[in-house]
């Protein structure tokens, strides 16, 4: 059935199924002739491939087949001789129609193109392309032949079935059924015999050699890049974006980060940094889109859910939504980072939910018992301090110090720990020890803005106790030293003039931009507030100090709208109308589309000086500017601005527009006290329309919403407003009852010793949580001096 080669001294003979075929071969070129004979052998094997005797031709056709073989071998050798002498582009005659790769590799480019033309294939391309094209055609031919053989075998099986084969198939199927029913049992003897039979039937001598096409495809896949950037390139690009961000090149940082986001769409670091840059550039929708896209791509990334909660608080102030996102961050990834526990606990602390905040911190400490938990212990100690549990607070701060000693990466938190220990010492009456703790924290980290601010406020609070101006001078010196230290670190220098209290600015080198999370603005604003408070009953030069501090802050932070807004409010309080208007306009321009608060305060100032037309234009401009940057219209502070706008329209007797603005403000607000103020104004509008029943309904809703959280004075005014409406409805009994309730609420408010008569006692406690212990003292003293 197979061709065998018998080499002799004068030539070679090929045998095919018992028939010898003599072929004369020149021994002088034995190497080339052997290669040719190998092609002939392969060609014979392709033409006469059937291996069973059933596929042999009948005896009367064997002679015809032998003659064809002789003709084929003779023509192959003749074509070999002619191909060596002739250079015409003709495929060799020995090349079979379905050839092998070994035969194909012997052909030249011209012969390959002729072979492609004979088979109806394209002739263009290099040698490798032509070989691959021809081998694909051979694969298709073999597949067609295999399908034809399978079809013939199926037809034969239908006509003739071997009983032994049928019995073997039935037994094999039965053994398979037994195997499925006894999955957990050992392999039975019959199954072992079946496996041995299968192994015996497998031809172990057969080996599958990979083709050149397969090897080429494997090499191509190996050298093809599956990612746009390697891991090293990703790290380098992220560091470059980080440095560009720190150097103030926001656009370059965004460009690099967007490339990284395209290559690694699930990287939470890249998404969070892109979102923060979008917020700094007042692109709030883009910041929200990035975080929401990241949570959809990687829903188990708690870092992104944490960022979405922070964004919700910063943009809309929606506490319920922020809590939902914090909860999702902890649920999907409770062990990766303690930051969600810390941020959520800070939120609950700001809302007065001390027990919930403590429970969250303790849960975070259970998941992070050893490392990266210093900020959890720090906040837990602050909660204990607010509750008066000073021993527990001291123990928590000792834990912070232990963590920072074992982990050198958290040495920066020691300064915060010293500040908190100073708070505890101040609460226990050890003022000198508190001052010493804060000085240690500043020495450890000279750029610790909270430590400088706390030390200055400590000196100011000491003045409020003994009435000495020496402590104000010491507080002023602390502020100046802190500002000089910070400005030197950013290459911003202030030269002293002849007057020791005045400063002039000169920049020797290009200033370093502010870094993300810079808290030094609060120090400048508190310094200016201190100068404002102590300039009322002081010599004239004290008044100039507040302006100079604001001017210095505006030079250090030229893009911060809060500096210009506070400065404008100070000028308005001093009746410097022209300067106040110019500074208010600067504050609105600096805020851009970021916030609407400068427009609201500027409009209220215009209403205060009874310039209602200008106030209306300011409110309209602010609402239009900020709303263009938010698609959903849920903007922090927009409801309060619309309420002020409605009051302005009410002054201009535009009742319909005022009513529409109030309805819009009510739909945007989530605060019960804020809604109570809106409803009170709505009741006033309906009274002017003489719609007393609707006005009564609005004021009752306002009292219900303000009964728990609002100040007693505001609740008393609501009862008096209800009494006025009842009198207009000729209901004297209800009016008398409302007057009595207003007096009761007023008496309760007089019993409260709050530092400001506007705020309720529970709000004062809520706002003082997490603050310095001298916060209320400073606030009370400044408030009293402003009203003297």
């Amino acid at each position: 059935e197979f061709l065998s080669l018998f080499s002799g001294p004068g030539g070679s003979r090929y045998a095919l199924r018992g028939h010898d075929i003599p072929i004369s071969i020149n021994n002088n070129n034995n190497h080339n002739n052997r290669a040719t004979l190998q092609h002939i052998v392969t060609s014979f094997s392709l033409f006469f491939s059937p291996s069973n005797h059933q596929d042999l031709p009948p005896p009367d056709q064997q002679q015809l087949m032998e003659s064809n073989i002789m003709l084929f071998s003779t023509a192959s050798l003749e074509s070999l001789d002619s191909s060596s002498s002739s250079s015409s582009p003709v495929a060799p005659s020995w090349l079979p129609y379905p050839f092998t790769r070994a035969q194909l590799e012997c052909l030249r480019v011209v012969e390959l193109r002729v072979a492609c033309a004979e088979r109806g294939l394209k002739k263009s391309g290099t040698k490798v392309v032509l070989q691959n094209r021809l081998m694909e055609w051979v694969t298709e031919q073999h597949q067609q032949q295999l399908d034809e053989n399978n079809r013939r075998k199926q037809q034969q099986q239908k006509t003739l079935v071997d009983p032994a084969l049928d019995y073997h198939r039935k037994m094999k199927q039965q053994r398979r059924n037994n195997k499925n029913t006894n999955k957990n049992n050992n392999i039975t003897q019959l199954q072992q015999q079946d496996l041995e039979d299968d192994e015996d039937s497998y031809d172990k001598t057969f080996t599958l050699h990979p083709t050149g096409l397969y090897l080429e495809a494997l090499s191509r896949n190996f050298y093809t890049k599956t990612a746009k950037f390697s891991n090293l390139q990703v790290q380098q690009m992220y560091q470059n974006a980080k440095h560009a961000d720190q150097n103030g090149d926001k656009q370059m940082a965004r460009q690099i980060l967007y490339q990284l986001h395209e290559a690694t769409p699930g990287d939470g670091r890249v998404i969070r940094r892109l979102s923060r840059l979008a917020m700094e550039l007042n692109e709030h929708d883009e910041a929200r889109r990035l975080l929401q896209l990241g949570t959809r791509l990687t829903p188990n990334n708690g870092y992104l859910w944490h960022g979405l909660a922070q964004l919700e608080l910063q943009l809309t102030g929606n506490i319920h939504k922020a809590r939902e996102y914090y909860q999702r961050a902890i649920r999907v990834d409770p062990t990766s980072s303690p930051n969600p526990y810390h941020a959520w606990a800070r939120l609950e602390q700001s809302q007065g939910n001390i027990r919930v905040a403590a429970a969250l911190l303790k849960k975070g400490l259970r998941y992070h018992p050893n490392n990266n938990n210093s900020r959890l212990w720090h906040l837990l100690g602050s909660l204990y301090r607010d509750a008066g549990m000073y021993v527990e607070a001291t123990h928590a701060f000792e834990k912070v110090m232990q963590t920072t000693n074992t982990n050198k990466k958290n040495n920066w938190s020691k300064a915060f720990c010293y500040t908190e220990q100073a708070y505890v010492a101040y609460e226990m009456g050890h003022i000198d020890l508190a001052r010493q703790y804060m000085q240690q924290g500043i020495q450890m980290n000279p750029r610790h803005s909270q430590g400088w601010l706390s030390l200055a406020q400590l000196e100011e609070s000491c003045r409020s106790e003994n009435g000495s101006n020496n402590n104000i001078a010491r507080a002023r010196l602390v502020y100046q030293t802190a500002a000089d230290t910070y400005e030197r670190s950013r290459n911003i220098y202030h030269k002293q003039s002849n007057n020791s209290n005045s400063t002039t600015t000169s920049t020797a080198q290009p200033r370093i931009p502010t870094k993300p999370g810079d808290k030094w603005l609060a120090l400048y604003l508190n310094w200016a507030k201190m100068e404002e408070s102590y300039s009322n009953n002081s010599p004239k030069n004290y008044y100039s100090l507040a302006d100079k501090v604001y001017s210095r802050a505006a030079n250090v932070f030229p893009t911060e709208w809060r500096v210009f807004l506070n400065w404008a409010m100070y000028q308005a309080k001093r009746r410097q109308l022209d300067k106040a208007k110019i500074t208010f306009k600067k504050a609105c321009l600096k805020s851009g589309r970021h916030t609407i608060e400068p427009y609201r305060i500027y409009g209220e100032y215009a209403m205060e000086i009874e310039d209602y037309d200008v106030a209306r234009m300011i409110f309209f401009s602010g609402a239009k500017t900020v709303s263009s940057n938010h698609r959903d219209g849920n903007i922090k502070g927009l409801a309060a601005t619309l309420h002020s706008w409605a009051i302005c329209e009410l002054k201009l007797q535009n009742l319909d527009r005022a009513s529409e603005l109030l309805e819009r403000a009510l739909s945007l607000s989530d605060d019960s006290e804020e809604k109570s103020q809106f409803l009170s104004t709505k009741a006033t509008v309906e009274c002017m329309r003489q719609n007393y029943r609707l006005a009564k309904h609005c004021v009752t809703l306002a009292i219900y919403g303000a009964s728990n959280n609002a100040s007693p004075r505001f609740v008393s005014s609501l009862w008096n407003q209800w009494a006025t409406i009842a009198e207009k409805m000729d209901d004297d009994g209800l009016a008398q009852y409302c007057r009595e309730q207003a007096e009761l609420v007023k008496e309760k408010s007089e019993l409260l010793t709050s530092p400001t008569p506007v705020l309720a006692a529970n709000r004062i406690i809520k706002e003082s949580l997490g603050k310095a212990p001298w916060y209320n003292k400073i606030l009370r003293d400044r408030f009293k001096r402003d009203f003297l």
Side-chain angles (χ1 to χ4, degrees):
E1 298 180 357
F2 298 94
L3 292 171
S4 61
L5 178 63
F6 299 94
S7 300
S12 299
R13 296 178 63 86
Y14 283 89
L16 177 63
R17 293 175 184 167
H19 299 277
D20 293 340
I21 305 173
I23 301 176
S24 299
I25 299 176
N26 189 4
N27 292 327
N28 296 329
N29 195 7
N30 191 18
H31 177 72
N32 296 331
N33 292 332
R34 283 185 178 274
T36 306
L37 290 176
Q38 290 178 2
H39 292 306
I40 296 173
V41 171
T42 308
S43 303
F44 283 157
S45 64
L46 290 173
F47 275 107
F48 306 100
S49 58
S51 59
N52 53 0
H53 294 284
Q54 296 179 358
D55 295 330
L56 291 175
D60 55 349
Q61 296 182 3
Q62 291 185 6
Q63 187 176 1
L64 178 61
M65 185 177 63
E66 291 173 3
S67 61
N68 291 334
I69 293 172
M70 294 295 294
L71 291 174
F72 175 80
S73 60
T74 305
S76 299
L77 293 177
E78 291 177 356
S79 64
L80 179 62
D81 297 334
S82 61
S83 62
S84 61
S85 61
S86 176
S87 61
S88 59
V90 180
S93 58
W94 56 263
L95 183 66
Y97 201 69
F99 41 79
T100 63
R101 176 168 287 276
Q103 296 171 348
L104 193 63
E105 290 177 352
C106 296
L107 300 181
R108 296 175 299 175
V109 178
V110 178
E111 295 171 346
L112 290 172
R113 290 177 179 173
V114 172
C116 289
E118 291 176 356
R119 289 157 182 78
L121 303 177
K122 292 176 62 177
K123 297 185 295 182
S124 61
T126 60
K127 184 176 181 179
V128 177
V129 174
L130 294 172
Q131 288 176 351
N132 294 337
R133 190 179 298 153
L134 289 170
M135 285 306 302
E136 291 177 358
W137 178 83
V138 170
T139 304
E140 294 178 359
Q141 296 297 321
H142 288 171
Q143 185 65 35
Q144 293 177 4
Q145 185 179 1
L146 182 61
D147 295 340
E148 182 65 22
N149 292 338
N150 292 335
R151 187 182 60 80
R152 288 204 311 266
K153 288 181 180 180
Q154 290 178 0
Q155 291 180 356
Q156 291 177 1
Q157 289 177 1
K158 290 181 181 179
T159 57
L160 179 61
V161 179
D162 189 2
L165 181 60
D166 185 49
Y167 175 78
H168 177 71
R169 289 177 178 173
K170 290 182 180 179
M171 293 298 295
K172 193 173 183 179
Q173 184 65 30
Q174 185 177 359
R175 286 195 297 269
R176 288 179 179 175
N177 295 335
N178 294 334
K179 183 178 178 180
N180 293 332
T181 55
N182 300 314
K183 290 183 179 180
N184 298 325
N185 297 333
N186 296 327
I187 301 176
T188 60
Q189 185 176 0
L190 291 176
Q191 292 171 338
Q192 292 179 358
Q193 185 65 31
D194 190 13
L195 294 173
E196 292 176 359
D197 295 341
D198 293 340
E199 292 178 357
D200 293 338
S201 61
Y202 179 75
D203 188 6
K204 297 181 180 180
T205 61
F206 177 75
T207 56
L208 180 62
H209 297 284
T211 62
L213 181 64
Y214 172 76
L215 293 176
E216 184 181 354
L218 186 62
S219 300
R220 184 170 59 253
N221 293 332
F222 179 79
Y223 290 106
T224 301
K225 291 184 178 181
T226 56
K228 191 173 182 180
F229 304 106
S230 63
N231 292 336
L232 180 60
Q233 290 175 336
V234 168
Q235 294 295 333
Q236 291 176 350
M237 292 175 67
Y238 184 78
Q239 292 298 326
N240 293 336
K242 185 177 180 180
H243 293 158
D245 184 13
Q246 293 176 353
N247 294 330
D249 194 352
K250 307 295 183 182
Q251 296 299 331
M252 178 61 69
R254 291 187 73 186
Q255 182 179 356
I256 299 174
L257 289 173
Y258 272 118
Q259 293 178 1
L260 284 176
H261 181 54
E262 182 180 358
T264 57
D267 194 344
R269 301 175 308 163
V270 177
I271 296 175
R272 283 289 299 270
R273 189 171 285 272
L274 274 174
S275 176
R276 184 184 57 77
L277 288 175
M279 286 292 297
E280 292 179 0
L281 296 174
N282 298 330
E283 298 179 2
H284 300 162
D285 289 337
E286 177 66 12
R288 189 189 298 274
R289 183 194 70 83
L290 288 168
L291 290 173
Q292 290 177 347
L293 177 62
T295 54
R296 286 196 298 268
L297 293 175
T298 55
N300 294 328
N301 192 337
Y303 186 53
L304 296 179
W305 289 108
H306 176 205
L308 198 58
Q310 297 289 93
L311 181 71
E312 198 68 34
L313 285 176
Q314 186 175 356
L315 290 182
T316 63
N318 192 339
I319 297 175
H320 302 290
K321 201 70 175 178
R323 284 175 179 153
E324 180 182 348
Y325 290 145
Y326 282 133
Q327 185 178 6
R328 184 72 177 271
I330 293 175
R331 185 172 68 251
V332 299
D333 196 3
T335 59
S336 64
S337 174
N339 294 337
Y341 300 95
H342 181 267
W344 192 1
R346 286 287 301 271
L347 174 62
E348 298 300 337
Q349 182 190 20
S350 65
Q351 298 300 313
N353 302 324
I354 304 300
R355 182 176 298 178
V356 177
L360 286 170
L361 292 173
K362 291 178 181 179
K363 182 179 179 181
L365 289 172
R366 286 198 302 269
Y367 281 106
H368 303 274
N370 298 324
N371 54 359
N372 296 330
N373 59 2
S374 59
R375 60 191 322 176
L376 298 180
W377 282 112
H378 183 274
L379 185 56
L380 186 60
S382 178
L383 292 178
Y384 286 143
R385 179 181 62 82
D386 292 335
M389 304 168 65
Y390 302 123
V391 178
E392 290 80 0
T394 304
H395 173 70
F397 295 136
E398 290 176 355
K399 285 286 187 180
V400 177
M401 298 299 290
Q402 293 176 5
T403 305
T404 54
N405 290 331
T406 56
N407 190 359
K408 295 183 179 180
K409 293 183 179 180
N410 291 334
N411 281 336
W412 56 269
S413 61
K414 284 186 178 181
F416 291 93
C417 186
Y418 279 123
T419 303
E420 288 291 341
Q421 287 179 335
Y423 293 167
V424 175
Y426 184 88
E427 292 280 5
M428 299 175 68
H430 306 299
I431 298 178
D432 294 334
L433 182 60
R435 186 181 290 111
Q436 182 180 356
Y437 274 133
M438 282 185 288
Q439 290 175 353
Q440 290 179 359
I442 292 172
Q443 291 176 359
M444 182 167 292
N445 184 10
R447 296 195 61 182
H448 179 42
S449 61
Q450 184 178 347
W452 287 105
L453 178 60
S454 299
L455 182 58
Q457 289 181 345
L458 173 63
E459 302 296 343
E460 183 182 354
S461 66
C462 292
R463 188 268 174 203
S464 63
E465 291 180 355
N466 53 29
S468 175
N469 289 329
N470 294 330
N471 295 90
I472 297 299
R474 296 175 63 178
R476 186 178 294 113
L477 179 62
V478 173
Y479 279 125
Q480 289 177 351
T481 307
D484 292 339
T485 303
Y486 174 69
E487 290 163 6
R488 280 195 301 268
S489 66
R490 289 186 52 200
N491 294 335
I492 304 173
Y493 300 99
H494 290 267
K495 295 182 179 180
Q496 294 287 340
S497 64
N498 295 330
N499 187 359
S500 60
N501 292 327
S502 63
T503 57
T504 58
T505 306
S506 66
T507 304
Q509 299 177 0
R511 65 173 59 192
I512 300 174
T514 57
K515 293 184 178 181
D518 199 333
K519 303 296 184 182
W520 282 87
L521 178 61
L523 183 138
Y524 285 88
L525 294 180
N526 277 274
W527 183 11
K529 290 293 182 183
M530 185 193 74
E531 300 295 350
E532 287 183 27
S533 298
Y534 292 97
S535 63
N536 295 337
N537 298 324
S538 300
K540 188 176 180 180
N541 62 331
Y542 278 90
Y543 171 72
S544 63
L545 286 178
D547 279 324
K548 290 179 180 179
V549 172
Y550 279 122
S551 177
R552 186 171 182 174
N555 178 52
V556 177
F557 303 97
T559 60
E560 285 290 342
W561 57 269
R562 287 184 289 268
V563 176
F564 295 93
L565 181 61
N566 283 273
W567 196 0
M569 293 170 63
Y570 174 70
Q571 292 170 346
K573 184 171 64 174
R574 294 301 172 187
R575 297 299 177 183
Q576 298 176 352
L577 303 183
D578 296 335
K579 290 183 178 180
K581 289 181 180 180
I582 295 174
T583 312
F584 270 125
K585 291 180 181 179
K586 287 183 179 180
C588 294
L589 291 175
K590 298 293 182 180
S591 65
R593 297 180 297 173
H594 181 69
T595 180
I596 200 172
E597 184 177 0
Y599 293 94
R600 178 181 63 82
I601 297 177
Y602 186 20
E604 291 176 353
Y605 169 70
M607 292 172 58
E608 183 179 351
I609 60 177
E610 297 182 355
D611 195 351
Y612 298 108
D613 292 330
V614 174
R616 177 199 289 174
M617 295 301 298
I618 294 171
F619 290 132
F620 173 74
S621 178
K624 182 180 179 181
T625 302
V626 180
S627 299
S628 62
N629 197 33
H630 295 74
R631 298 176 182 176
D632 53 359
N634 193 6
I635 308 168
K636 186 177 181 180
L638 180 58
T641 305
L642 294 177
H643 176 245
S644 300
W645 189 0
I647 295 176
C648 179
E649 297 293 342
L650 188 62
K651 296 290 185 179
L652 295 173
Q653 300 297 321
N654 296 327
L655 302 182
D656 294 336
R657 179 173 293 180
S659 180
E660 293 177 0
L661 292 171
L662 288 171
E663 291 177 0
R664 177 61 176 167
L666 286 169
S667 65
L668 293 175
S669 177
D670 294 328
D671 191 340
S672 59
E673 183 180 356
E674 192 177 49
K675 283 187 174 182
S676 299
Q677 295 176 356
F678 300 166
L679 289 169
S680 175
T681 308
K682 178 72 173 175
T684 304
V685 173
E686 297 302 329
C687 282
M688 296 179 67
R689 287 178 169 179
Q690 297 183 356
N691 192 354
Y692 301 118
R693 295 182 63 86
L694 183 56
K696 176 184 175 181
H697 176 70
C698 291
V699 75
T700 52
L701 290 177
I703 292 174
Y704 177 77
S707 58
N708 296 325
N709 300 323
S711 62
R713 176 173 294 185
F714 176 64
V715 177
S716 177
S717 66
L718 292 177
W719 283 107
N720 289 324
Q721 186 179 11
W722 193 357
T724 302
I725 296 172
E727 290 175 354
K728 293 182 178 181
M729 297 177 66
D730 297 331
D731 193 346
D732 297 333
L734 179 60
Q736 182 64 27
Y737 174 77
C738 292
R739 300 290 184 191
E740 294 175 357
Q741 292 295 322
E743 291 296 328
L744 290 175
V745 174
K746 187 176 180 180
E747 291 176 1
K748 291 181 180 180
S749 65
E750 292 176 354
L751 295 177
L752 295 175
T753 58
S754 60
T756 58
V758 180
L759 299 175
N762 57 353
R763 171 172 290 186
I764 292 295
I765 295 174
K766 183 187 295 185
E767 290 184 354
S768 63
L769 291 176
K771 303 293 180 60
W774 47 79
Y775 174 79
N776 289 335
K777 294 181 180 180
I778 295 176
L779 186 65
R780 185 187 304 113
D781 188 69
R782 289 180 180 177
F783 181 80
K784 289 180 179 179
R785 296 186 65 85
D786 288 341
F787 278 86
L788 287 179

